[in-house]
Amino acid sequence: MISKRIIPCLDVMNGRVVKGVNFKEIKDMADPVEMARWYSEAGADELVFYDITASYEGRKLFTDVLRAVASQIFIPLTVGGGINSLDDFDTVLKSGADKVSINSGAIKDPSLISAAAKRYGSQCVVLSMDVKRVGGKFRVFANGGRIGTGIDALEWAKRGEYLGAGEIVLNSIDTDGVRGGFDIPMLRAIGETVSIPLIASGGAGKKEDFLELFRYDRIDAGLAAGIFHTKKVDIRDLKDYLRGCGVNVRL
Amino acid sequence: MIAVVDYGVGNLFSLTSSLRFIGLDCMVTCNKKELLNAERIILPGVGAFGDAMAKLRESGLEDTVKELAEVKPLLGICLGMQLLFDKSCEHGEHKGLGLIPGEVSPLAADIDLSLKVPHMGWNKLEIVRNDPIFKYSDNGEWVYYVHSYYAKKCSDYILGVSEYGVTVTGLVRSDSGMIYGMQFHPEKSGEAGLRLLKAFSEI
């Protein structure tokens, strides 16, 4: 049976891995290639590589950094940031990405999801959603969490699945960087809406948070950045712990 | 030299990177002469079976691949493995290369509805028959799969399987011992995958 996945996320800005709190207060962390290699050896099941300011600044993702990572890391690699067209898909896939994460680009033009799924297959199209509670409802935000779209997150998830997204990454802006645990109520709301794999993001602070996450069987993977980058949680220790608690993980 | 058959499907960056990473010479080519000169051949593939077979045929490489399979080691990966079989029923019935007896069917028809399709993620490869391809592998190593169809009626040729509601054909070999197929992606399966590629380079 397939394992639950542990996915470190490398937020990249100007060719360096950075980490923010609540999508703000950006801090410099490491070289992406060194960090990716380290994670691959440490037992990460997959890596996500976001160019966090590409969409905001309206430029293309740095393919040179991506190529450098992809030529040395032999686990699945998802890439996002500034993906707005099929040409962008083409560029990152040819630079070594296995999956492409779309967020603001899909909000601007939802047909990008269906066009990409048709050309590259659904397994290649990851719909990344930045979601925040507004007036008791889950709402989708664009441009790295900067712009409220007013779109209902449940409807957007359902539409994404219908259009051909193969996975959803749900980033809770409310719990991002706070390290108080994943946003289980938000994840449950989306998990009951779609049947494609769901990756939880935002809020991991300790090993126990992942156990709580995987107790909800609709979750396929847990994504985190800060706690892995700072070595607060070691991926191998985390997986040992999860396996001891009966979670199926790759060791 | 390993030649990776370029017939216009798939992303070959990871595959060539992983071969080079373990010190193997490789080239991506659709040139018949270069394919004939290579020591071994890898047939990659993603997408739909019918489209891939049509592209292989249009590029004039169908017969070349069949010829090569008789004289040098050939490895089909993912859809490239599925093409090795007699036929597939993905979006209508399509004839395959017929290099290994068997057929390709949808996973969804044979597994519990609660299981997601595609079968995507890390699964354990259980060795069912020993073979030189496992020279550097242990039983139960994790490999990475992404597929919605799987090979059936090929039990005599199966070397490795994974469980996903049904026994999924993971690794196959022809009677001749020269043709291998991997449903999972060795180039995305970390160390375990690199060791399988290394073993193939020594077949």
Side-chain angles (χ1 to χ4, degrees), chain A residues 1-3 45 67 70-71 74-76 93-94 96-99 123 167 195 197 218 220 248-251, chain B residues 11 13-14 17-18 21 115-116 118-124 142 144 146 163-165 187-190 194:
Chain A
M1 197 50 69
I2 54 175
S3 68
D45 295 309
R67 281 178 165 271
S71 60
F74 305 107
I75 56 175
L93 289 172
K94 281 187 178 146
D98 299 294
K99 309 181 198 179
Q123 83 288 338
E167 277 184 329
S195 60
R218 287 283 302 112
D220 296 85
N248 183 29
V249 288
R250 178 180 74 113
L251 274 171
Chain B
N11 173 11
F13 187 98
S14 300
S17 295
S18 56
F21 190 81
L115 287 170
K116 294 170 184 178
H119 168 221
M120 179 162 74
W122 294 89
N123 207 332
K124 280 187 177 180
W142 293 89
Y144 187 79
V146 183
E163 290 301 324
Y164 190 67
E187 76 280 20
K188 283 287 142 194
S189 298
L194 295 179

Side-chain angles (χ1 to χ4, degrees), chain A residues 28-99:
Chain A
D28 186 79
M29 300 285 304
D31 172 69
V33 180
E34 276 172 32
M35 195 170 231
R37 196 184 294 137
W38 179 65
Y39 278 133
S40 176
E41 283 162 13
D45 295 309
E46 207 166 308
L47 290 175
V48 173
F49 189 60
Y50 281 130
D51 190 340
I52 56 168
T53 52
S55 165
Y56 178 55
E57 294 168 1
R59 59 170 169 75
K60 306 277 181 200
L61 192 138
F62 292 124
T63 51
D64 50 349
V65 180
L66 172 56
R67 281 178 165 271
V69 172
S71 60
Q72 306 208 19
I73 307 303
F74 305 107
I75 56 175
L77 197 57
T78 300
V79 174
I83 306 292
N84 291 301
S85 65
L86 284 181
D87 282 348
D88 293 338
F89 265 81
D90 203 56
T91 303
V92 295
L93 289 172
K94 281 187 178 146
S95 302
D98 299 294
K99 309 181 198 179

Side-chain angles (χ1 to χ4, degrees), chain A residues 6 11 14 34-35 42 44 63 76 99 143 176 182 210-211 222 224:
Chain A
I6 301 295
D11 288 336
N14 303 328
E34 276 172 32
M35 195 170 231
T63 51
K99 309 181 198 179
N143 292 60
D176 179 63
F182 288 97
F210 286 88
L211 180 61

Side-chain angles (χ1 to χ4, degrees), chain B residues 4 15 28 37-38 43 45 69 80 119 149 179 186 195:
Chain B
V4 178
L15 182 57
V28 175
N37 286 334
L43 183 65
H119 168 221
Y149 290 76
I179 308 167
R195 283 188 264 112

